[in-house]
Amino acid sequence: MDKIKTQTRIHPLVAGAAVAVIGFCGVGMAAITGILPTSQAVSTPAPAVATATPAPAVEVPAPAPAPVAAPVEHKKAPVHHSTPTQTAQAHAAPAPAPAPAAEAKPNYLAIGAGAVVGGLVGNQVGGGRGKALATVAGAVGGGMIANEVSKSSNK
């Protein structure tokens, strides 16, 4: 009997989806571990737009010209780049400066070791493509767990 050859190549759409999921997970891990910067944006509500009805025309007499005074020179205030909310809060009530918080830096050695151990444990699960998926999930999970353990032990 002749053997029927079956196609063993992965479909390009499945490969593209797999790459997209891996990229998405990589960006998520980078954001969780603090490698990516965070946004400090403050959202403000948009001002309400009111529709005005036209007022009836009324003649207003022209005002008399005001006397011209000498120009007044003002000191220029230093420029501070901040949002309007921060500016309003700064002028409302001065608050004491908070103590700088010591941010725990990720321990890359611990993350790497956790990823290796997690990958080895994940490799023991399943078979075929499930085994590969379990290996990747174990590596990601092991790295994240090791990072959290190293953060909590440094406190």
Side-chain angles (χ1 to χ4, degrees):
M1 278 189 146
D2 293 329
K3 285 190 172 183
I4 299 174
K5 289 187 177 181
T6 58
Q7 187 177 6
T8 58
R9 292 178 49 185
I10 189 169
H11 193 276
L13 291 177
V14 174
V19 169
V21 168
I22 291 170
F24 182 73
C25 291
V27 170
M29 285 180 7
I32 290 171
T33 58
I35 295 172
L36 289 178
T38 59
S39 172
Q40 300 296 326
V42 177
S43 63
T44 57
V49 178
T51 57
T53 57
V58 177
E59 281 191 38
V60 178
V68 178
V72 178
E73 292 187 26
H74 296 283
K75 283 182 146 181
K76 290 189 176 183
V79 177
H80 297 286
H81 298 283
S82 61
T83 62
T85 307
Q86 291 172 339
T87 306
Q89 290 172 352
H91 292 294
E103 186 175 322
K105 293 183 180 179
N107 185 350
Y108 296 111
L109 183 62
I111 293 172
V116 168
V117 171
L120 290 173
V121 170
N123 195 27
Q124 305 302 316
V125 178
R129 293 193 194 277
K131 189 172 200 167
L133 181 63
T135 303
V136 171
V140 170
M144 290 174 63
I145 291 171
N147 185 38
E148 293 300 319
V149 168
S150 69
K151 276 189 203 177
S152 64
S153 66
N154 290 336
K155 287 184 180 179

